Amino acid sequence: MSRAELLSPEGLRIDGRRPAELRKITSTTCVLSQADGSAYLEHGNTKVLAAVYGPREARHRALVLHDRAILNVELNVAPFSTGERRRRSKNDKRLLEMASFVKQTFEPVVIATLYPRSQIDIYLQVIQHDGGTLQACINATTMALIDAGIAMTDYVCACTAGWVEREAAIDLNYIEESSDTSEVTIAMLPKSSKITLTQMESRLHVDKLEEVFRLAGEGCKQMYEVMDKTIRDRAEDLARKMAV
Amino acid sequence: MELDGDHEDGADGSGVKDSSLHVVTPGEVITNDTAFMRGHGTYIENEKVVSSVAGVVDRVNKLISVRPLHTRYTGEIGDVVVGRITEVAQKRWKVDVSARQDAILMLSSINLPGGVQRRKQESDELQMRSFFMEGDLVVAEVQAFFGDGAYSLHTRSLKYGKLRNGSFISVPPALVQRCKSHFHSLACGVDVILGLNGYIWVSAHVPQNLDEIDTELVYSNKNKDITPRDRESIARVGNCIRALADEFIFINDTIISFAYE
């Protein structure tokens, strides 16, 4: 398999983007009528569906906390989501790990003390996987939680960034991820610039760290603009309908 | 009159809806003024009142709160709710009312068959399933709150109790307004019970004469025979309610009759 050139001499990436450019983002909320909140998010070709149920009666009495809600995240990747059809079991270690990342990302942000003795369930479904699944899951969860009316201190915006050949780039797609680039995912609260999740599995030279992080931060701010616009449009639309 | 005003109650009191809707999203600062107290849907950070949900700002004098647009049912004492029994426990039933926690219906809060004033006996506790089983629908009133926020329900009136002869519809709780009565009888021969938690029961009309209600049959599980014409009316009313809910229109009996025509 010939190694594709990840960064052209003009500075364009393999899909024609500039290094600091995000993919096209499409987002909708309230896609599932049965869930309390739901969102569908697309980062280019990566498509994720998030459903939030709650706060509702906890399933396992033993896990109930008397003063706050517990967060439960389940991640499911469809077998047709990658290039090769592969069925993943529910207890796949990788999926459980990603689900626990999402849970840890939201635990400090959701004001769980408002909902004692209840449970908030977050179900994520990856429909198409083209790089940046964790960032898409986190962003979709944010929108679904807001759609469900669950109190949060701020949005959580996530963005991947990495070092592609000679430059730092954000929002890596599948081809860039699977080749020799180092990739870091950052989840940030845009208002205070506080970071709730940093995740990296590869190796990154410390000299490049600052640039990559800075670019990821800017990517998160851009994500925030897009997500906020969707939520605000929908909220205004609903508010106008219900005020009639 | 609606208790939680769905127009911003500003100082001008004009209640003009469209232009004065202040929509906020989580993390957005509502005001820097420290004179305001914070209400639901907000939190204080660095002396600023910040919104924690996406919704419309409600300002009543010095209290600022944000009403989220989709939320679970939060009830007051005296609310009429429709719920589904999820569990039969020791001397109580757990009822799903689409709230944060299941509501509780105590054995001491129901009317026992054989007379309204009949005393509870040991044998009643052992045959709780003969009154309500898992999956039954009940209409009840919120009596009190438990310490952790769960509602305590009661059916101590002949108009409350087990529901039969109809079908169940679920709508967002915000669309059901509080009014004088939640039991409506429509002109087409259909009864509608609007639970404030968004659960609605549409059933065939049963002529209710409170003096003659047979208390033995209050907990029966048998539906009466319903004619196809009645079934069609029930289904049609159900569809009207679903259509109204899809368009986010408030639901009450006048608007259901209007939609039905």
Side-chain angles (χ1 to χ4, degrees):
Chain A
M1 188 162 70
S2 67
R3 193 176 180 290
E5 196 181 54
L6 289 175
L7 199 61
S8 78
E10 296 89 36
L12 291 177
R13 288 150 75 175
I14 201 168
D15 49 6
R17 283 186 287 154
R18 294 249 154 238
E21 211 180 303
L22 290 174
R23 287 179 284 185
K24 177 161 179 286
I25 301 168
T26 320
S27 59
T28 356
T29 52
C30 209
V31 284
L32 300 171
S33 58
Q34 189 142 4
D36 289 317
S38 54
Y40 173 70
L41 189 67
E42 280 183 19
H43 272 274
N45 283 331
T46 301
K47 302 181 175 145
V48 172
L49 183 64
V52 168
Y53 289 85
R56 60 177 179 182
E57 182 85 9
R59 243 17 109 50
H60 303 288
R61 295 297 157 74
L63 298 173
V64 156
L65 294 170
H66 69 281
D67 59 343
R68 41 186 295 138
I70 50 179
L71 227 58
N72 180 33
V73 178
E74 261 182 48
L75 177 61
N76 199 357
V77 176
F80 49 81
S81 60
T82 47
E84 209 177 77
R85 188 187 175 89
R86 189 152 69 95
R87 210 145 192 275
R88 276 158 247 248
S89 81
K90 264 241 158 144
N91 289 329
D92 185 40
K93 287 290 185 293
R94 196 105 173 81
L95 295 184
L96 289 180
E97 189 188 43
M98 271 178 66
S100 82
F101 285 154
V102 176
K103 181 172 154 167
Q104 286 166 19
T105 310
F106 284 95
E107 257 167 6
V109 182
V110 169
I111 308 179
T113 45
L114 288 177
Y115 313 112
R117 304 188 75 90
S118 44
Q119 180 178 332
I120 298 175
D121 285 317
I122 301 170
Y123 298 106
L124 291 158
Q125 178 81 14
V126 176
I127 301 177
Q128 199 168 316
H129 174 45
D130 185 29
T133 332
L134 185 57
Q135 68 163 352
C137 288
I138 293 176
N139 291 329
T141 309
T142 304
M143 293 185 59
L145 283 171
I146 296 176
D147 189 39
I150 293 178
M152 309 209 302
T153 51
D154 198 355
Y155 281 72
V156 181
C157 307
C159 194
T160 49
W163 192 265
V164 175
E165 288 198 6
R166 1 176 238 290
E167 278 196 55
I170 56 172
D171 203 4
L172 308 178
N173 61 26
Y174 186 70
I175 302 176
E176 288 165 344
E177 263 181 20
S178 43
S179 56
D180 235 344
T181 51
S182 44
E183 183 205 356
V184 62
T185 307
I186 291 183
M188 192 170 90
L189 308 183
K191 199 174 55 92
S192 48
S193 297
K194 288 190 188 163
I195 294 184
T196 60
L197 174 85
T198 328
Q199 186 249 355
M200 181 164 80
E201 283 171 358
S202 40
R203 278 194 283 196
L204 180 67
H205 199 283
V206 70
D207 288 343
K208 305 171 182 164
L209 188 67
E210 194 187 323
E211 172 72 13
V212 168
F213 265 62
R214 187 188 63 80
L215 212 53
E218 279 177 25
C220 287
K221 294 252 166 58
Q222 286 181 41
M223 272 309 307
Y224 169 64
E225 303 288 325
V226 176
M227 294 204 294
D228 192 39
K229 180 161 189 316
T230 309
I231 299 264
R232 201 175 282 276
D233 283 345
R234 172 132 184 101
E236 275 169 12
D237 194 35
L238 272 186
R240 223 175 302 126
K241 276 188 180 165
M242 288 190 25
V244 165
Chain B
M1 207 54 238
E2 306 99 293
L3 282 178
D4 39 10
D6 49 352
H7 52 268
E8 195 185 18
D9 200 341
D12 52 18
S14 60
V16 174
K17 287 152 197 175
D18 282 302
S19 52
S20 60
L21 282 179
H22 185 192
V23 168
V24 289
T25 51
E28 189 177 326
V29 175
I30 305 177
T31 179
N32 287 324
D33 200 344
T34 51
F36 287 104
M37 291 189 300
R38 65 162 206 89
H40 289 301
T42 60
Y43 65 98
I44 292 214
E45 195 188 355
N46 298 340
E47 296 186 355
K48 289 187 273 207
V49 179
V50 187
S51 165
S52 61
V53 292
V56 179
V57 175
D58 257 343
R59 188 164 68 84
V60 180
N61 294 336
K62 289 275 185 197
L63 179 70
I64 290 196
S65 57
V66 182
R67 251 183 315 121
L69 295 162
H70 289 181
T71 184
R72 289 229 151 195
Y73 167 63
T74 42
E76 307 293 328
I77 294 180
D79 280 356
V80 172
V81 293
V82 172
R84 197 180 280 276
I85 307 279
T86 54
E87 197 185 312
V88 180
Q90 181 94 324
K91 286 201 240 201
R92 60 171 75 168
W93 290 272
K94 288 267 179 123
V95 185
D96 165 36
V97 289
S98 182
R100 267 178 18 225
Q101 282 171 278
D102 284 347
I104 296 183
L105 180 61
M106 311 279 305
L107 180 58
S108 48
S109 312
I110 66 169
N111 282 336
L112 299 160
V116 182
Q117 305 300 332
R118 201 190 76 166
R119 292 187 66 102
K120 189 160 63 84
Q121 292 159 353
E122 284 274 331
S123 56
D124 291 329
E125 208 179 310
L126 296 171
Q127 24 159 321
M128 280 178 70
R129 277 210 171 74
S130 64
F131 303 135
F132 294 118
M133 264 196 65
E134 288 95 340
D136 283 344
L137 281 165
V138 290
V139 58
E141 195 180 330
V142 176
Q143 185 178 40
F145 293 115
F146 281 95
D148 55 5
Y151 306 125
S152 174
L153 307 176
H154 77 92
T155 56
R156 277 209 174 279
S157 165
L158 290 170
K159 58 184 182 188
Y160 300 137
K162 192 185 286 199
L163 294 172
R164 52 186 89 85
N165 303 326
S167 71
F168 173 81
I169 300 165
S170 169
V171 303
L175 296 178
V176 183
Q177 297 163 307
R178 287 198 168 84
C179 31
K180 211 163 45 115
S181 163
H182 293 270
F183 298 83
H184 304 292
S185 205
L186 301 180
C188 37
V190 170
D191 277 347
V192 174
I193 300 179
L194 298 171
L196 280 157
N197 57 340
Y199 286 173
I200 296 181
W201 180 253
V202 183
S203 64
H205 184 60
V206 173
Q208 284 278 18
N209 193 336
L210 285 180
D211 298 329
E212 293 172 2
I213 283 187
D214 191 349
T215 48
E216 293 295 333
L217 295 180
V218 164
Y219 295 110
S220 86
N221 284 324
K222 268 178 60 91
N223 279 342
K224 72 168 207 215
D225 285 326
I226 309 177
T227 64
R229 206 163 148 271
D230 278 344
R231 285 177 201 254
E232 202 188 313
S233 309
I234 295 174
R236 214 171 127 187
V237 170
N239 283 335
C240 292
I241 297 177
R242 282 194 195 95
L244 291 170
D246 279 343
E247 288 302 315
F248 292 100
I249 301 175
F250 285 106
I251 296 179
N252 53 41
D253 56 337
T254 42
I255 209 162
I256 298 177
S257 320
F258 185 68
Y260 186 84
E261 300 305 328

